[in-house]
């Protein structure tokens, strides 16, 4: 092998090594971002939803308003304006989002109980988060979340097993969702966003 060929091989080997290193770095960054986005993992609905699942999920919804209030009670405005991840919502925006999102969930339960497999109304979460009220005090959203969860929990506790089999259609993906699955989704959603706030607070040594 002549000297020129040896140089080409070295350059080529270096190119592939750098490419592999860059790919590994990108993979690590993506994995880290995924952990920040989904600190408790994504929701996976059990194949069989038991009475124990239902009981535990209701308890999550019942406890969220108080847990969330206690978590952020000592945060000042600057801390509330801290994103939970790079490019993500601030703690303030997450609280406003949970309040709005769970209001939608309550309405979806009512739709499914009063209509035959209705197509529910979806909404653009990011567009809602861009509205002016997402920069306002969290107090109103905390009160709203407490009221919505009180009504939601009371309503769910009054449903029969057969009621939880009722369905609605989510227009994103045209997917049929049973009410008992929707209950699990929003229990997960509660813990999901609680973990967002808790994780950034731990990272900042605020708790």
């Amino acid at each position: 092998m002549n000297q020129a060929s040896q140089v080409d091989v070295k350059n080529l080997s270096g190119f592939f090594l750098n490419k592999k290193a860059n790919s590994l770095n990108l993979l690590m960054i993506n994995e880290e971002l995924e952990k920040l986005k989904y600190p408790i993992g994504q929701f996976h609905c059990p194949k069989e939803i038991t009475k124990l699942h239902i009981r535990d999920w209701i308890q999550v919804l019942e406890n969220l308003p108080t847990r969330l209030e206690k978590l952020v009670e000592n945060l000042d405005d600057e801390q509330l304006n801290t994103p939970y991840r790079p490019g993500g919502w601030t703690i303030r925006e997450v609280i406003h989002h949970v309040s709005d999102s769970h209001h939608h969930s309550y309405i979806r339960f009512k739709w499914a109980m009063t209509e035959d497999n209705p197509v529910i109304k979806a909404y653009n979460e990011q567009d809602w988060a861009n509205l002016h009220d997402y920069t306002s005090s969290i107090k109103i959203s905390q009160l709203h979340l407490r009221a919505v969860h009180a009504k939601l929990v009371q309503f769910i506790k009054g449903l029969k097993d057969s009621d939880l089999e009722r369905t609605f259609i989510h227009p994103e993906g045209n997917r049929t969702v049973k009410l008992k699955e929707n209950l699990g989704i929003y229990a997960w959603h509660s813990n999901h966003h609680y973990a967002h706030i808790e994780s950034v607070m731990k990272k900042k040594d605020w708790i």
Side-chain angles (χ1 to χ4, degrees):
M1 183 180 295
N2 60 38
Q3 188 174 2
S5 297
Q6 289 177 341
V7 171
D8 288 341
V9 170
K10 287 181 180 178
N11 289 340
L12 194 59
S13 298
F15 170 77
F16 283 114
L17 285 172
N18 287 335
K19 188 174 182 180
K20 185 177 180 180
N22 289 336
S23 297
L24 287 172
N25 287 336
L26 185 59
L27 180 62
M28 291 173 64
I29 290 170
N30 287 339
E31 287 178 351
E32 183 62 28
L33 185 59
E34 190 72 8
K35 288 178 184 177
L36 292 173
K37 283 183 177 180
Y38 299 101
I40 63 169
Q42 299 194 44
F43 176 68
H44 297 288
C45 189
K47 289 183 179 179
E48 180 185 356
I49 297 175
T50 66
K51 288 184 181 294
L52 183 59
H53 287 121
I54 299 298
R55 187 200 70 185
D56 289 347
W57 290 341
I58 290 174
Q59 191 171 45
V60 170
L61 294 181
E62 199 163 19
N63 293 337
L64 178 69
T66 298
R67 289 180 67 221
L68 195 54
E69 286 172 16
K70 287 183 177 179
L71 181 64
V72 302
E73 64 184 352
N74 294 319
L75 298 185
D76 59 29
D77 280 339
E78 184 177 353
Q79 290 170 316
L80 287 169
N81 291 331
T82 303
Y84 77 88
R85 66 171 174 84
W89 287 335
T90 65
I91 294 174
R92 184 190 307 277
E93 289 168 336
V94 169
I95 293 169
H96 289 311
H97 162 72
V98 172
S99 172
D100 283 341
S101 175
H102 291 203
H103 187 117
H104 278 81
S105 181
Y106 173 67
I107 298 301
R108 290 168 186 180
F109 272 93
K110 288 293 190 81
W111 268 331
M113 286 301 299
T114 56
E115 300 178 26
D116 184 21
N117 196 32
V119 178
I120 58 109
K121 179 73 170 67
Y123 73 106
N124 189 311
E125 295 177 350
Q126 188 56 56
D127 284 349
W128 281 50
N130 290 336
L131 295 173
H132 64 277
D133 60 328
Y134 271 55
T135 63
S136 65
S137 169
I138 62 173
K139 296 299 183 184
I140 294 176
S141 283
Q142 287 176 319
L143 288 171
H144 179 240
L145 185 67
R146 185 170 285 278
V148 166
H149 273 237
K151 288 177 67 67
L152 179 58
V153 168
Q154 181 189 48
F155 186 72
I156 294 170
K157 284 182 174 179
L159 298 179
K160 302 186 293 289
D161 290 347
S162 58
D163 293 331
L164 290 170
E165 297 292 334
R166 293 182 67 90
T167 59
F168 61 78
I169 298 173
H170 199 296
E172 293 177 2
N174 200 37
R175 195 169 75 86
T176 299
V177 181
K178 289 185 178 182
L179 286 185
K180 61 184 181 181
E181 179 185 355
N182 195 55
L183 172 58
I185 290 170
Y186 278 88
W188 168 86
H189 191 259
S190 298
N191 290 330
H192 169 66
H193 283 304
Y194 183 94
H196 280 156
I197 297 172
E198 184 182 48
S199 61
V200 71
M201 289 178 66
K202 285 181 177 179
K203 186 177 181 180
K204 298 285 187 179
D205 290 327
W206 296 341
I207 52 175

